[in-house]
């Protein structure tokens, strides 16, 4: 078979994702992995136990394609309690992670030639999924330190072919939450141009300093035109479980369910049972989870600041970003990540990897969902790197 005909051109020269690449490098070199976002704990004991019990005592055969009724009801009840939403269980479709929900939403809602409005920095799956769905991405570039959206830029990006807005909020890797003003701007845009919003809200519960996530679906006139995507991986610190969901009004939910039934059809039932149990935990449980990660964020940020790095405070997610220019380091993000994995034994993610064009190159993302001693050791290594680097320059 000739190479030029092998497979879809999109995938032929596509490298593995930056997360896969950095985690592989960390494994090979033994570096502390603050790159790909995952906790170094195994997840909450009682939720693991619920999954183990369900595996042994409940059905291991195909659950309904839309998800176990108990989990669909638990997601709806959870959002009623935590975000004041009025979703019915039938408006929730369970997926194999947020990634599948994104794929199903884009496949269901994008027709060939449709334009999809997205913001860079963008999560790596977005562009290939949009393209495979036949869509054309219109990328609006956001920049630090405030990552704000402006009406003028939005209006210039929307055309009469734009059908979908794909939004990640809280935003990975910037670690910010959109302010009320920007959300209102987006809602207004969707209504005026008759867009459907696909909202990737996997970080909705991992918010700090008393800040709370505000879902776009709750804004005026957005209830019937929004797909809200969530993931148990982030809420319960079990990124390998890949239990997610997409919520939308009935007309949209039916379409999404059809796309989902021919992607994965369903998701392991024991994990669905355990997540249903987890979502019903009292509100204090989620506060405690947030407080734990907030302490880790502060530990890493304070340590790095003491070591001479300028760190952007994160309002959400498991990430902080180091500003290389403000830190006085004459390296771009890719060079810095290369150097610290080789010389300091710490893996990180260059923020430029989240830009398809015209990247921001002076920010590096570090993941803090790790044990204190791991964070302390990473800080010590980065402090030594900084000293050696300054010494060589001075
Ligand atoms: N969207 C964003 C913004 C993410 O950061 C991630 C992973 N952290 C995902 C989607 C994927 O979620 P899942 O593992 O549930 O597929
Ligand atoms: N969402 C994770 C991150 O931002 C990566 C998940 C993945 O590797 N697919 O680090």
């Amino acid at each position: 078979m000739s190479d030029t005909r092998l497979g879809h051109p999109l995938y032929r020269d596509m490298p593995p994702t930056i997360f896969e690449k950095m985690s592989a490098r960390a494994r090979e070199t033994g570096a502390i992995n603050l790159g790909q976002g995952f906790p170094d704990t195994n997840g909450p004991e009682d939720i693991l136990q619920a999954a183990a019990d369900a595996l042994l005592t409940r059905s291991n055969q195909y659950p309904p394609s839309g998800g176990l009724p108990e989990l669909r009801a638990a997601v709806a009840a959870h959002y009623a309690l935590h975000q004041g939403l009025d979703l019915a269980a039938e408006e929730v479709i369970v997926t194999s992670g947020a990634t599948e929900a994104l794929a199903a939403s884009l496949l269901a809602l994008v027709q060939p030639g449709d334009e999809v409005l997205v913001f860079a920095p963008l999560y790596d799956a977005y562009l290939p999924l949009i393209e495979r769905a036949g869509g054309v991405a219109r990328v609006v570039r956001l920049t630090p330190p405030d990552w704000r959206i402006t009406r003028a830029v939005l209006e210039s990006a929307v055309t009469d072919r734009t059908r979908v807005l794909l939004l990640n909020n809280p935003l990975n890797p910037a670690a910010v939450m959109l302010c009320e003003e920007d959300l209102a701007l987006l809602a207004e845009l969707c209504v005026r141009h008759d867009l459907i919003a696909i909202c990737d809200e996997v970080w909705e519960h991992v918010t700090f300093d008393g800040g709370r996530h505000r879902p776009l679906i709750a804004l005026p006139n957005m209830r019937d035109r929004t797909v809200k995507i969530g993931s148990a991986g982030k809420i319960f610190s079990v990124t390998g479980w890949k239990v997610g969901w997409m919520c939308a009004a009935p007309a949209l939910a039916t379409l999404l369910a059809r796309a989902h039934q021919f992607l994965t059809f369903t998701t392991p039932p024991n994990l669905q049972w355990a997540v249903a149990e987890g979502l019903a935990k009292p509100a204090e449980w989620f506060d405690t989870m947030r407080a734990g990660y907030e302490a880790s964020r502060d530990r890493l940020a304070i340590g790095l600041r003491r070591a001479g790095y300028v760190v952007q405070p994160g309002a959400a997610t498991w990430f902080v970003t180091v500003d290389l220019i403000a830190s006085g380091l004459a390296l771009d993000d890719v060079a810095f990540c290369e150097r610290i994995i080789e010389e300091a034994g710490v893996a990180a993610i260059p923020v430029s990897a989240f830009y398809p064009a015209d990247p921001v190159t002076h920010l590096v993302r570090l993941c803090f969902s790790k044990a204190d001693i791991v964070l302390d050791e990473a800080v010590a290594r980065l402090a030594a790197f900084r000293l050696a680097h300054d010494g060589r320059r001075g």
Side-chain angles (χ1 to χ4, degrees):
M1 198 186 306
S2 96
D3 270 0
T4 53
R5 290 181 46 208
L6 184 62
H8 192 282
L10 176 66
Y11 302 118
R12 270 183 221 144
D13 298 316
M14 184 185 275
T17 75
I18 186 74
F19 309 115
E20 182 76 1
K21 181 180 146 189
M22 285 311 202
S23 284
R25 292 274 303 276
R27 281 191 295 270
E28 281 156 27
T29 60
I32 297 174
N33 191 356
L34 305 189
Q36 189 176 37
F38 61 88
D40 60 0
T41 59
N42 204 23
E45 196 67 40
D46 53 350
I47 294 185
L48 302 186
Q49 192 62 54
D53 290 346
L55 187 82
L56 294 173
T57 62
R58 292 184 185 266
S59 169
N60 285 298
Q61 309 310 335
Y62 296 130
S65 177
L68 286 176
E70 290 80 356
L71 177 54
R72 301 175 79 182
V75 171
H78 185 83
Y79 285 141
L81 179 68
H82 292 267
Q83 297 177 9
L85 300 180
D86 64 342
L87 294 161
E90 296 69 36
E91 293 177 297
V92 179
I93 311 291
V94 176
T95 57
S96 291
T99 309
E100 197 227 337
L102 286 162
S105 304
L106 290 164
L107 288 175
L109 301 175
V110 174
Q111 297 186 52
D114 284 355
E115 290 183 2
V116 179
L117 192 63
V118 280
F119 298 98
L122 48 77
Y123 187 58
D124 60 356
Y126 292 2
L127 292 187
L129 289 175
I130 291 168
E131 195 173 325
R132 272 312 251 147
V136 178
R138 299 275 298 186
V139 183
V140 171
R141 185 172 176 272
L142 305 182
T143 51
D146 55 2
W147 312 96
R148 292 290 302 272
I149 294 165
T150 66
R151 184 187 295 273
V153 172
L154 280 184
E155 288 297 345
S156 66
V158 173
T159 75
D160 55 7
R161 291 181 303 282
T162 312
R163 291 284 171 276
V164 170
L165 164 74
L166 172 53
L167 177 71
N168 174 217
N169 184 40
L171 179 62
N172 175 13
V176 292
M177 285 189 278
L178 291 195
C179 63
E180 194 67 30
E181 205 183 322
D182 288 4
L183 281 174
L185 210 57
L186 290 175
E188 195 194 310
L189 182 91
C190 289
V191 173
R192 192 166 55 252
H193 295 278
D194 197 21
L195 310 184
I196 294 171
I198 301 175
C199 297
D200 174 350
E201 302 185 348
V202 300
W203 296 104
E204 61 196 341
H205 262 307
V206 190
T207 61
F208 306 126
D209 307 317
R212 284 291 174 276
H213 173 68
R214 177 111 153 96
L216 192 64
I217 196 170
L219 270 75
N221 303 315
M222 291 306 290
R223 177 67 171 82
D224 291 340
R225 58 171 70 252
T226 303
V227 179
K228 174 177 168 56
I229 293 175
S231 173
K234 308 299 180 301
I235 302 176
F236 299 110
S237 307
V238 285
T239 59
W241 276 24
K242 302 296 281 191
V243 177
W245 48 82
M246 42 193 180
C247 312
L252 280 176
T254 304
L255 278 173
L256 302 177
R258 297 300 170 264
H260 157 72
Q261 72 183 349
F262 294 130
L263 279 171
T264 60
F265 185 78
T266 192
T267 298
N270 67 312
L271 301 182
Q272 293 196 46
W273 283 111
V275 171
E277 254 179 59
L279 288 171
K281 282 178 174 296
E284 299 77 55
W285 187 91
F286 299 90
D287 291 336
T288 306
M289 177 274 286
R290 277 188 279 271
Y293 285 125
E294 188 170 315
S296 300
R297 175 199 65 169
D298 292 345
R299 193 176 190 98
L300 181 60
I302 290 167
L304 288 172
R305 283 188 190 122
R306 284 204 188 110
Y309 293 95
V310 173
V311 181
Q312 293 211 337
T317 77
W318 291 330
F319 311 115
V320 296
T321 51
V322 168
D323 184 327
L324 298 173
I325 294 178
S327 303
L329 286 153
L331 293 169
D332 72 16
D333 59 345
V334 173
F336 181 80
C337 287
E338 280 299 317
R339 292 278 298 272
I340 61 169
I341 199 165
E342 291 300 327
E343 295 171 33
V346 177
I349 300 287
V351 165
S352 59
F354 294 78
Y355 286 82
D358 195 9
V360 166
T361 59
H362 65 283
L363 296 181
V364 168
R365 192 193 84 173
L366 293 161
C367 175
F368 55 73
S369 54
K370 311 289 172 186
D372 286 353
I373 54 163
V374 175
L375 295 176
D376 293 349
E377 176 60 22
V379 164
R381 291 180 184 195
L382 290 170
F385 172 83
R386 168 100 224 196
L387 280 178
H389 183 266
D390 290 351
R392 270 198 299 272
R393 288 168 70 220

